[in-house]
Structure formats: C-alpha cells, structure tokens
Amino acid sequence: MGADHRVALVADRIAWEERLLIEAAPAFGLRIDWVNDESLSLGHPDAPSIKGYDALLVRSRSYTRGGLIATLAEAAGVPTLNTARAIHACENKAALRALLRTAGVPVPDHRLVLSRKDFDRALADLPLPLVLKPVFGGMGKRVTLIRHADTAHSVYDYVEDLAHAFEQASVVEPYLGGSSVRCLVVGRELVGAAEFESGGSDWRNNAALGNKNRALAHDPDVVKIVDGVVDVLGPGIYGVDLFATPDGHVVNEVNHAPGFRAVASATGADIPSAIGRYLQESLA
C-alpha cells in the first residue's frame, strides 16, 4: 500500500527517535524521509528541495536552524511541525517566559542579564544558590550553578570573555533543587511525563544528560500547566520541562524538538505512534 502523505523529517542526523518515527510512519499512511537540515538551501518561492512534501517535521537540534527552516518552508507554502512561531518562541528562554507569564502560566523567578551591572542586580535581588544559563541554548550546556557570592564574578568572567554577542544574554534564577519533570506533548495531549534526578557528580537534571528517571503519575496541576503552554504556542510536539516548588510546578523551558527516549523508557508510552497519528490527523 502506498503512502497517503510524504513528510520530510528535517534534522542533522538520524538518532534513536528519528529512526523510530520513520519506522512507525507506514502504519499511519505516511512516508517519512530524512532530509539533512544542512542541504535545503531554502529561499526560492517554490523551494525545490522540499517540493512534493506535504509537511516538514522539524527536528533540528539547533533552535536557530530549525526556526529559520520552518519560517522559509512556511513562506513556500509547506506546513511545518512545529510551526515557525512556536520554534522561535522556544528558542528564547527570556521571551518564552514573558509569553507564558502574561498568559498566567507559572515560570520561575528570574532576571535577564545583559551586562555585569545586570548580574550585580540579580545577585542582590535573588537568594543563593543561583543558576546562570544562556538565553539561547539547550541540552544543559553552559548552565552553571553559583553556590557562593565570592565566586560569582569569576563565573561571569567566562560569559564576558568567551561568549559572542547574543550568546552573552543570560538568565539568572534561584536553584530549585535536584529534580525536574519532562512532559512529552503531542498535539494538545500529554502522552507521558517522567521525573529526572541528577546523578553522580553532575548537579544538572537535564534529560539529555541521561540522569535517573521515573514515570510521573497523572497530576492535574501538571496537566493544567501543559494546557496553558499549548494555548500559548499552539498544538505541536513539545518537551515541557517543569520544576517543583512549594507553590506548585513552574515551567523551566520548552523544547521544540524533544528527545523522548528517556520518557518512553520510564513510562512505556508509544510516542512514535502518537506522533504518527497526530501527523495523519493534521494532514487529513
């Protein structure tokens, strides 16, 4: 039986998740082809490199690359998942938190740091320990825990001296503990949630770092927050990362092309089928 729809899976590599998505596609009347995100050369109004595809499933690890590809693909008339608007919103931690907070979705207390003067104000406003993280970035990279005031400025020296231009834009926030919750969202549905705990000597609990995880039982508070995120970004495929606080969960960040191996392993959720079904329904 031939495929009803052709989908380009746009990424720089085929990892575990991409392989399973390609394998699951035929059961939902789809043919998913890997298209290297470094070879699209978009910009032509007919976009020859994506001509013949009914949609693009954008899984570029780079937010910047994914957002640009989605923007130009949509301009050429090819729908993308996620949308360019959603990817660009996820790319910028400070802007995303402003959008969510305005919509009533809880986010951590934080300060935008664009200079050492900003950093001084953040140190004065927020209690130690603090986390310093780049506004643009993911996978736990360049996220630093500041435990003591006397080392804070030495840490910030690296931001000033090693980062380039927009990479110096940072967020400072209180350290909220050693665990986080990754929610895997498909469409508007929460298909699986797992709690991650830092392991070994690494304090970070990012899912990409392979730390300890366990399935999280259904939590109405978590579902309400996820619904709020989808209301802001629109239906799509997201990894919504939460921290627990005494007042409830808060949204740390949202990933536009989430890895889901750890959540699938912890929960048993068939995430490739959920994504295949959502693509099928979206293209019907």
Side-chain angles (χ1 to χ4, degrees):
M1 182 184 297
D4 297 324
H5 295 288
R6 293 184 67 204
V7 176
L9 191 160
V10 177
D12 61 334
R13 81 284 183 255
I14 294 291
W16 184 87
E17 289 86 352
E18 286 72 32
R19 178 172 55 81
L20 290 189
L21 289 170
I22 291 170
E23 291 174 356
F28 300 96
L30 305 171
R31 172 182 163 183
I32 295 182
D33 300 323
W34 172 49
V35 176
N36 193 318
D37 66 7
E38 298 177 338
S39 62
L40 289 170
S41 190
L42 297 177
H44 190 281
D46 292 330
S49 61
I50 57 175
K51 201 171 184 65
Y53 287 107
D54 298 294
L56 265 60
L57 178 58
V58 181
R59 288 192 57 84
S60 300
R61 285 181 291 180
S62 164
Y63 286 95
T64 302
R65 185 178 295 177
L68 290 170
I69 288 169
T71 297
L72 294 179
E74 289 175 1
V78 182
T80 67
L81 188 66
N82 292 317
T83 65
R85 174 185 171 275
I87 296 172
H88 284 304
C90 293
E91 176 184 18
N92 185 320
K93 293 182 179 67
L96 176 64
R97 289 183 178 187
L99 286 172
L100 295 177
R101 176 178 280 167
T102 300
V105 179
V107 297
D109 191 10
H110 63 280
R111 300 294 184 272
L112 176 65
V113 172
L114 301 176
S115 68
R116 194 174 290 269
K117 289 182 180 179
D118 277 339
F119 188 60
D120 284 335
R121 286 290 300 272
L123 293 176
D125 288 349
L126 300 172
L128 291 167
L130 294 170
V131 174
L132 173 68
K133 62 176 65 173
V135 166
F136 303 96
M139 301 180 72
K141 293 181 179 179
R142 294 201 296 122
V143 179
T144 305
L145 178 61
I146 300 173
R147 297 183 185 274
H148 307 290
D150 58 357
T151 60
H153 281 281
S154 295
V155 170
Y156 194 74
D157 286 342
Y158 288 92
V159 175
E160 283 191 329
D161 294 345
L162 298 181
H164 299 285
F166 75 92
E167 292 179 335
Q168 293 184 2
S170 303
V171 170
V172 171
E173 64 189 25
Y175 175 55
L176 295 177
S179 67
S180 66
V181 175
R182 162 60 64 91
C183 301
L184 205 293
V185 179
V186 179
R188 295 196 64 94
E189 179 187 0
L190 175 59
V191 298
E195 184 177 47
F196 293 85
E197 296 181 2
S198 56
S201 59
D202 195 329
W203 64 273
R204 297 169 296 173
N205 49 59
N206 189 288
L209 300 176
N211 293 323
K212 300 176 184 177
N213 62 76
R214 65 178 182 85
L216 189 72
H218 179 85
D219 185 330
D221 175 49
V222 169
V223 173
K224 181 180 178 180
I225 291 174
V226 167
D227 287 344
V229 171
V230 176
D231 286 342
V232 171
L233 298 178
I237 301 168
Y238 305 112
V240 181
D241 291 340
L242 310 177
F243 288 138
T245 76
D247 298 320
H249 289 89
V250 295
V251 177
N252 176 38
E253 60 185 63
V254 181
N255 193 300
H256 81 290
F260 52 79
R261 186 170 191 167
V263 172
S265 174
T267 65
D270 186 355
I271 296 170
S273 291
I275 293 174
R277 190 176 302 108
Y278 180 59
L279 280 166
Q280 180 187 50
E281 293 169 353
S282 300
L283 294 171

